[in-house]
Amino acid sequence: MDYFPFFLALRGRRVLVVGGGEIAARKVRLLRRAGARIRVLAPRLCAELDALATQGALDWQAAPYSAAAIDADTWFVLAATDDEAVNAQVAADAERARLWVNVVDDPRRSSAITPAIVDRNPLLVALSSGGRAPVYIRQLRARLERELPPRLGELLEWLGTQRARIAQAIPDMVQRLRVWERIVDGPVASRKLAGDTAAADAALGRLLEAEQGAPQGEVWLVGAGPGDPDLLTLKALRRMQQADVVVHDRLLGPQILDLVRRDAERIDAGKRRSRHTLPQEDINALLVRLAREGKRVLRLKGGDPFVFGRGGEEIAELLAAGVPFEVIPGITAANGAAAYAGMPLTHRDHAQSCVFVTGHPRADGALSLPWATLVPPGQTVVIYMGLTRLEDICAQLIAYGAPAQRPAAMVENASRAEQRVIVGDLATLPQKVAQAQPEGPGLVIIGEVVRLRAQLSWWR
Ligand code: SAH
């Protein structure tokens, strides 16, 4: 280990900053956050520092550097001038006074280096490669910034105030440790991170009470997007890595399931045209049962859970059963197909509106679509679950007055490696699709925007 990491309690302590430019200002910003008493020694100040000096937020000594500046009241020294000789002198003087010194961007002359930080106060992450790999550190930091929720600091601060309450409710240390894990990973934290302290407080109350009885689980209803794993949201990914059990659709790409925590139990509730593996009522009941067993249940669906995903029915059931849940949206198949096939759903010149309909027949086999509204020009019609009845659908649209030459396309496996796009018109598409024998999920897009693909197709 080249450095011993520690954190300085600078509140109320004097820090001497030598230099008054932009670089010094950058450091002063951080020192102020830590509550240091800042003295800046420099003949001139940049605008930012000048404003701070005027406000009295720092003590400016308008003089060139001399060793006398490092006095008995100084705890820490920062050299931030653009003059290497001055910086070297500051470092040598501080060294002699047995004070830690940081020379900005010069680890060789520094006895203390300042790390890159991710600040979710009171949580602080400090990163350093000892000046060896700044780019790597920058990337790592960006990753952590994305990974750690913005309100994490508020959560930790608040949890700190709840410690006594939790210790009182759960006297047993081992059990308490488990409860803490559930707090940090469960609805208490997720409510607080969403900014709802009252709900977090209530969830904590319920959790502590439930710990006296049976454990309390929760359900995350998550949209996994059309298939490309890079289209998952950060929140979806986080939940996928926390779940105890995943109840998933068959529509999901295999690469997506690989991202679920490895030791999570997997339940395939997949539905296929005309072959329901699990009826919807059974899925609803299953979610409630798993949550009541105390599990964190990931209900993972293709696309978005609220677009032909029956997400509404599932959460209605959870609400009725008093099971806590959250809904995480995903990129719906129409968006995935449009983007990856190069067909914008709206376009100033060709489509001023867009409608999503389902081509899934009712139980009696009839297609109940508002045909007359799907026919006028100037809109894009997207049909989910429309492949089995594609011929009927196109024939009806023509019968209701749509031109047989209106462009239409089928996008199979949108956004996945196996994506296929078949382009035709209302008259020809059904036969072309039948010939292609699609096996993956397929979406039908009808309207002038289909023509744009010839120009806008960009993906592979
Ligand atoms: N909730 C999902 C839709 C579920 S309905 C969503 O928001 O995307 C199932 C239908 O979605 C399929 O019949 C197909 O029409 C469409 N679909 C889902 N994923 C698809 C994909 N990757 N490519 C093309 N169509 C897809």
Side-chain angles (χ1 to χ4, degrees):
M1 200 154 66
D2 293 338
Y3 293 92
F4 179 78
F6 61 65
F7 291 87
L8 302 178
L10 285 182
R11 194 159 301 280
R13 302 210 154 105
R14 158 77 54 75
V15 174
L16 176 67
V17 178
V18 182
E22 310 284 340
I23 294 173
R26 219 168 62 208
K27 297 293 174 186
V28 164
R29 245 175 267 154
L30 278 175
L31 290 169
R32 290 190 64 211
R33 257 156 68 183
R37 270 165 53 222
I38 302 162
R39 167 169 293 167
V40 175
L41 182 62
R44 273 177 316 279
L45 295 184
C46 67
E48 182 178 341
L49 291 178
D50 191 48
L52 290 173
T54 313
Q55 286 165 33
L58 55 81
D59 159 29
W60 177 30
Q61 303 226 312
Y65 173 74
S66 78
I70 301 180
D71 61 14
D73 197 23
T74 307
W75 286 81
F76 182 61
V77 182
L78 237 144
T81 77
D82 53 7
D83 183 331
E84 220 179 304
V86 173
N87 286 347
Q89 190 57 48
V90 175
D93 293 342
E95 185 81 24
R96 210 167 308 115
R98 294 293 182 265
L99 282 175
W100 298 108
V101 60
N102 176 253
V103 181
V104 177
D105 293 333
D106 190 352
R108 275 180 320 115
R109 289 218 165 84
S110 303
S111 56
I113 57 172
T114 53
I117 61 171
V118 181
D119 183 0
R120 298 286 187 279
N121 196 55
L123 176 86
L124 271 179
V125 184
L127 299 168
S128 166
S129 64
R132 252 70 126 224
V135 173
Y136 184 79
I137 294 293
R138 213 157 45 230
Q139 285 176 356
L140 190 58
R141 180 177 148 197
R143 222 151 73 206
L144 286 167
E145 284 284 3
R146 287 196 302 265
E147 189 72 19
L148 301 177
R151 288 207 178 94
L152 187 58
E154 284 166 46
L155 168 66
L156 300 182
E157 204 67 74
W158 178 75
L159 285 176
T161 66
Q162 304 297 313
R163 293 194 82 85
R165 170 188 183 192
I166 294 162
Q168 199 176 21
I170 319 282
D172 179 69
M173 285 250 293
V174 178
Q175 190 190 4
R176 189 153 75 232
L177 199 64
R178 221 186 51 228
V179 168
W180 269 106
E181 278 173 15
R182 302 187 67 84
I183 289 172
V184 169
D185 247 9
V188 178
S190 57
R191 297 298 116 81
K192 180 67 189 158
L193 289 173
D196 191 342
T197 308
D201 193 73
L204 179 57
R206 278 198 303 276
L207 176 69
L208 295 178
E209 201 171 306
E211 270 305 307
Q212 263 99 61
Q216 168 82 298
E218 65 175 320
V219 176
W220 303 318
L221 178 59
V222 175
D228 178 349
D230 279 345
L231 296 181
L232 282 167
T233 64
L234 296 174
K235 198 164 184 185
L237 190 60
R238 195 150 63 227
R239 289 314 189 201
M240 288 163 75
Q241 287 166 359
Q242 291 170 334
D244 298 315
V245 48
V246 48
V247 180
H248 64 86
D249 283 3
R250 187 154 298 153
L251 266 182
L252 293 174
Q255 283 172 297
I256 302 252
L257 277 179
D258 284 347
L259 295 172
V260 175
R261 208 179 89 191
R262 221 154 277 289
D263 47 356
E265 182 190 344
R266 280 141 214 262
I267 300 176
D268 184 349
K271 296 181 214 132
R272 261 197 186 152
R273 273 173 279 158
S274 70
R275 214 195 74 201
H276 285 235
T277 313
L278 264 188
Q280 188 64 46
E281 306 75 63
D282 293 5
I283 296 177
N284 300 351
L286 175 68
L287 297 177
V288 171
R289 180 168 64 71
L290 291 169
R292 288 211 170 127
E293 286 169 12
K295 297 192 169 124
R296 288 164 303 176
V297 185
L298 178 74
R299 174 64 177 121
L300 195 59
K301 288 176 173 276
D304 179 85
F306 280 3
V307 177
F308 303 122
R310 306 193 73 168
E313 293 160 60
E314 290 178 13
I315 66 169
E317 190 86 5
L318 298 172
L319 269 170
V323 171
F325 64 87
E326 67 185 28
V327 182
I328 300 170
I331 291 180
T332 190
N335 287 128
Y340 282 65
M343 300 184 283
L345 293 177
T346 66
H347 188 287
R348 242 165 16 136
D349 302 329
H350 308 293
Q352 288 69 45
S353 66
C354 171
V355 21
F356 295 175
V357 297
T358 167
H360 192 65
R362 292 187 320 218
D364 63 4
L367 282 170
S368 62
L369 286 173
W371 299 109
T373 69
L374 303 181
V375 166
Q379 66 177 338
T380 305
V381 175
V382 180
I383 304 172
Y384 286 71
M385 296 173 277
L387 295 196
T388 39
R389 301 293 289 273
L390 185 57
E391 201 172 338
D392 287 352
I393 292 171
C394 291
Q396 285 284 3
L397 289 173
I398 294 171
Y400 273 80
Q405 281 74 43
R406 176 165 294 165
M410 193 281 292
V411 184
E412 180 193 10
N413 284 315
S415 85
R416 305 178 188 179
E418 319 83 67
Q419 172 174 302
R420 275 199 298 179
V421 184
I422 293 169
V423 178
D425 57 33
L426 287 179
T428 60
L429 190 69
Q431 211 201 336
K432 287 185 173 180
V433 169
Q435 268 163 8
Q437 298 189 321
E439 287 182 348
L443 199 72
V444 179
I445 301 183
I446 300 170
E448 286 302 316
V449 294
V450 168
R451 281 193 218 285
L452 295 171
R453 174 172 162 79
Q455 230 181 302
L456 302 183
S457 167
W458 59 273
W459 192 58
R460 294 182 313 152

